[in-house]
Amino acid sequence: MNTATSNPKTDYLLGAGLDVLHFESREWLNTIAFWKDEIRFFNDLLKRKEASDKSNSDYENMLKNLNKVHDDLFDDLEESVKVHEQLLSKIELAEKGISDNDYREKHAHILSRITTFNKDFKTFKKVVFDYSKSL
């Protein structure tokens, strides 16, 4: 692993037992479900703004579009984690042609996607909250 971008927690988890990685995958699914709830909240907030002010600004439309993009990304992330969990099941059933290492590499890739998305989503939420303060 590249030491310049190495994360001790990630390094530890990727060397951990498959049960630990399975637990982390389950946590990801819970996090994605929470993010979906947050998106529903943001949609409701923007709908209230739209109902009270029919002047639909470009900024508000941009936020609505970002909401939709995030919703699609959640679905994609969720599906990736579910497929990942199915791979783990195949490993545990000792299916031929599937390696533990492939699972760990995929786990690292999904972890990277979730970490990046989490940072981006925090920025998006800050923009929405700043916008809502101006209402």
Side-chain angles (χ1 to χ4, degrees):
M1 194 165 266
N2 182 355
T3 56
T5 59
S6 183
N7 177 334
K9 179 183 175 193
T10 302
D11 294 345
Y12 170 76
L13 284 174
L14 293 179
L18 294 176
D19 58 330
V20 174
L21 299 181
H22 168 67
F23 180 77
E24 185 174 43
S25 294
R26 301 306 303 169
E27 285 182 326
W28 292 341
L29 291 173
N30 289 334
T31 298
I32 292 167
F34 179 73
W35 286 339
K36 284 182 170 185
D37 285 343
E38 286 184 306
I39 282 295
R40 281 189 285 279
F41 169 78
F42 296 138
N43 276 330
D44 290 345
L45 181 68
L46 293 172
K47 283 179 186 174
R48 273 188 252 139
K49 166 63 176 149
E50 183 180 356
S52 67
D53 179 13
K54 298 291 183 188
S55 66
N56 282 342
S57 70
D58 290 338
Y59 189 74
E60 186 175 337
N61 287 330
M62 177 195 66
L63 289 177
K64 286 181 187 177
N65 288 333
L66 281 172
N67 249 355
K68 175 67 173 132
V69 167
H70 284 132
D71 203 26
D72 290 344
L73 284 171
F74 295 145
D75 290 343
D76 181 58
L77 278 172
E78 185 175 37
E79 183 62 25
S80 293
V81 174
K82 287 179 179 178
V83 168
H84 184 59
E85 284 293 284
Q86 291 169 354
L87 178 60
L88 174 61
S89 177
K90 290 176 182 180
I91 290 170
E92 290 177 337
L93 293 172
E95 286 190 18
K96 293 191 184 259
I98 300 173
S99 78
D100 177 88
N101 196 41
D102 290 342
Y103 178 81
R104 291 175 188 282
E105 286 178 15
K106 183 67 175 174
H107 195 88
H109 176 72
I110 294 172
L111 175 60
S112 175
R113 285 181 63 201
I114 288 189
T115 300
T116 299
F117 185 81
N118 190 35
K119 290 176 188 173
D120 293 344
F121 192 54
K122 283 179 181 178
T123 301
F124 169 73
K125 290 191 300 187
K126 183 178 180 340
V127 169
V128 171
F129 289 134
D130 288 346
Y131 174 72
S132 70
K133 288 177 189 175
S134 71
L135 301 179

